Amino acid sequence: MKHIQILIKPASSLCNLRCSYCFYADISSMRQVRSFGRMNPEVTEKLIENVFADLADGDYLTIGFQGGEPTLAGLKYFKNFTALVKAQPKNVTVEYAVQTNGTKIDEEWCRFLQQENFLVGLSIDGGLEFHDRHRPDAAGRGTYQRVLAAKRLFDRYGIRYNILCVLTREMTTQVRQVWAFIQEEEIAFIQFIPCLAELGEEENEFAVTPRGFADFYSELFTLWQQEMQRGRYVSVKLFDDITNLLVNGVVGACGMLGRCQMQYVIEANGNVYPCDFYVLDEMCVGNITQQTLRELFEQPLTQRFICDKREYQTCTDCEFYKMCRGGCQRMKDACYVGAEDDGYCGYREVLKKVLQPLLTMAAPPVR
C-alpha cells in the first residue's frame, strides 16, 4: 500500500494579493516563464491519468492545491478535477487540501469544499496589524476582514481548516500579540511558516533569524502550556510535529530529519519539481503529461535532490542530532545555524525548551 502526495499549482504564480514577503513571486521571477497561467483541461486530464498509472487498489493519494492563489483557477476547474478523479476505476482513497488567501471564498466555494471534504490552509498573519501591513490586495487595500469572513464561513459550513501564519522577523518579538489573536479568534489549529530571505539574498528585513525563531517559540510554548493548564488545547504544528516524532516516530514535515523528500510539485503546464522552494527551470525533473510519477521519481535530478546529505559544523556534536540532522536546507538561515554561522542553532534552543515537557505531556497516565 502506497501513500503518494502531490502538490498542484493550477493558477501557477497568479495571485490577487501583493504580499511583501512572497517567496513564490521571488522563485517564479527567476524562471524564463514567470507564470504558466491557468491549467487547461488537457493538462488536467493527462495529469490525473499519469498519477493514477502508478497507483493500485488500496493506495492513498493526497492532492494539494497551492499557488500563487489556486482559487484563481476557478471553481469550475476544481469541480472538473474532482469529477475526473471519481471517474478513475481504481479503488484509491483520495484526500484533498488547498492553501488559499481566502479572499475569493463564498458560499458556493464552501458547499464544494464541504462536499469534497477538503482540508483548507487559510493564510492569516497574526492579527489585523501584521496581516494588513504585509498582505494587501493589488490595489494596496488591507485584506484582513475579507479573510476573517472566509474563516467564519468555514466555521458555519463545518469545513476543516488550519490557519497558516507567516512568521516575520517583527512578529518574533510580538508573541503575546500573536497569542491574543489566536485566543480572540478561537483558532484551534495553526502553523507558523518562517519568512525566508529570497534565494541568493543575504539580508532581508522580513526574514526570520535563528535567534528570533528560538525566542518566538520559547515564549509561545510558555503561553501554550498555560492555555493547556486551563483546559484548552491549541494545535501548534511545530509542537505537534516534535511530539509525533518523539512518541510515534512519524515525520510530520519535509526535511525534518535533514533529508529532502520528493514533493511532486506540478505547475500549471505540467512541469514537475521536487520541492516547492525550488520551482526553478534547472530543477524541473520532467512533465506529468509525458511521464508517470514513477518515471519522474527515477530521474537522475530527482535522485540527486532527495539523496543530498548536509551536515553543518555544529551538528554532529548536538545532543539532538538524530532527530534533526541539519533540518531543511532552505530553512537553514531562518531556523538552524544561520548565515552568521556562529554555532547558535535556533531549532536546538527550541528543543531544549520543549522536549521534556512534551514527552511528559505525551506519557500515558500512571495507574
Side-chain angles (χ1 to χ4, degrees):
M1 182 180 69
K2 300 185 294 294
H3 190 165
I4 301 296
Q5 301 181 45
I6 62 174
L7 181 63
I8 301 171
K9 294 182 177 289
S12 192
S13 63
L14 297 176
C15 191
N16 59 332
L17 267 57
R18 299 295 181 266
C19 300
S20 56
Y21 47 63
C22 180
F23 87 90
Y24 205 64
D26 167 47
I27 293 294
S28 60
S29 70
M30 298 180 183
R31 301 189 307 223
Q32 287 188 353
V33 178
R34 183 164 191 157
S35 173
F36 296 102
R38 293 171 177 83
M39 184 176 288
N40 65 45
E42 292 75 23
V43 172
T44 302
E45 290 175 17
K46 198 64 180 176
L47 181 161
I48 293 171
E49 177 185 333
N50 280 347
V51 166
F52 273 81
D54 292 324
L55 297 175
D57 290 348
D59 286 345
Y60 285 78
L61 173 64
T62 298
I63 304 174
F65 297 92
Q66 199 180 56
E69 173 49 40
T71 61
L72 293 182
L75 186 52
K76 182 179 178 181
Y77 165 86
F78 283 86
K79 288 181 176 180
N80 178 60
F81 192 103
T82 55
L84 289 171
V85 168
K86 289 174 185 175
Q88 292 296 312
K90 293 178 181 177
N91 184 23
V92 173
T93 300
V94 180
E95 297 179 342
Y96 293 106
V98 62
Q99 180 176 331
T100 177
N101 61 40
T103 58
K104 295 294 183 182
I105 298 298
D106 57 17
E107 299 211 22
E108 187 178 6
W109 267 105
C110 285
R111 286 190 288 271
F112 168 76
L113 295 170
Q114 180 192 57
Q115 176 183 328
E116 301 298 338
N117 196 29
F118 267 68
L119 172 63
V120 180
L122 180 64
S123 295
I124 309 180
D125 275 4
L128 173 64
E129 179 185 348
F130 295 121
H131 186 98
D132 278 357
R133 183 181 304 150
H134 295 294
R135 300 183 66 83
D137 62 18
R141 299 168 301 190
T143 58
Y144 184 70
Q145 295 303 331
R146 279 176 273 175
V147 181
L148 277 189
K151 175 186 177 296
R152 290 175 184 129
L153 278 174
F154 291 158
D155 287 332
R156 182 149 62 89
Y157 276 85
I159 292 167
R160 299 178 301 134
Y161 68 92
N162 301 331
I163 297 301
L164 307 177
C165 178
V166 175
L167 181 62
T168 56
R169 183 176 302 193
E170 63 175 329
M171 197 182 291
T172 62
T173 66
Q174 303 293 328
V175 184
R176 291 187 178 276
Q177 186 175 337
V178 175
W179 187 251
F181 155 75
I182 293 172
Q183 292 179 306
E184 289 166 10
E185 294 301 329
E186 298 182 333
I187 292 169
F189 300 89
I190 190 163
Q191 175 182 355
F192 294 98
I193 303 169
C195 184
L196 306 177
E198 296 181 358
L199 280 175
E201 187 180 40
E202 293 185 1
E203 279 296 320
N204 184 300
E205 61 180 309
F206 307 122
V208 173
T209 65
R211 281 183 170 80
F213 177 84
D215 290 346
F216 176 83
Y217 272 109
S218 293
E219 187 173 353
L220 183 72
F221 188 74
T222 298
L223 297 171
W224 180 80
Q225 278 186 300
Q226 292 171 355
E227 194 77 352
M228 285 269 287
Q229 291 165 0
R230 298 186 189 102
R232 179 172 181 252
Y233 172 72
V234 177
S235 170
V236 176
K237 190 173 188 300
L238 181 64
F239 301 155
D240 289 349
D241 285 347
I242 293 171
T243 303
N244 275 324
L245 182 63
L246 289 169
V247 177
N248 303 313
V250 174
V251 177
C254 182
M256 194 172 184
L257 291 181
R259 176 165 290 184
C260 296
Q261 301 167 4
M262 180 59 175
Q263 293 184 2
Y264 298 108
V265 180
I266 306 174
E267 256 287 2
N269 70 334
N271 281 354
V272 180
Y273 308 81
C275 174
D276 194 37
F277 288 135
Y278 299 100
V279 186
L280 300 164
D281 292 337
E282 62 269 26
M283 294 300 294
C284 180
V285 300
N287 191 288
I288 194 62
T289 66
Q290 302 165 11
Q291 296 151 295
T292 66
L293 294 182
R294 182 184 298 275
E295 290 168 340
L296 291 163
F297 185 80
E298 292 172 349
Q299 295 300 308
L301 179 56
T302 304
Q303 293 303 305
R304 286 198 300 272
F305 182 82
I306 64 177
C307 294
D308 176 51
K309 294 182 179 179
R310 55 199 168 277
E311 292 178 357
Y312 309 122
Q313 187 173 357
T314 56
C315 283
T316 53
D317 295 329
C318 176
E319 64 270 42
F320 306 117
Y321 173 71
K322 289 184 178 180
M323 61 179 298
C324 174
R325 290 184 170 88
C328 170
Q329 62 177 320
R330 185 65 178 95
M331 294 280 187
K332 174 182 177 290
D333 290 342
C335 309
Y336 302 97
V337 295
E340 63 274 12
D341 198 21
D342 61 356
Y344 183 93
C345 174
Y347 189 56
R348 180 183 187 183
E349 295 303 312
V350 171
L351 290 176
K352 286 180 182 179
K353 170 82 174 183
V354 309
L355 203 63
Q356 194 54 54
L358 287 176
L359 280 171
T360 300
M361 282 184 247
V366 178
R367 296 185 181 275

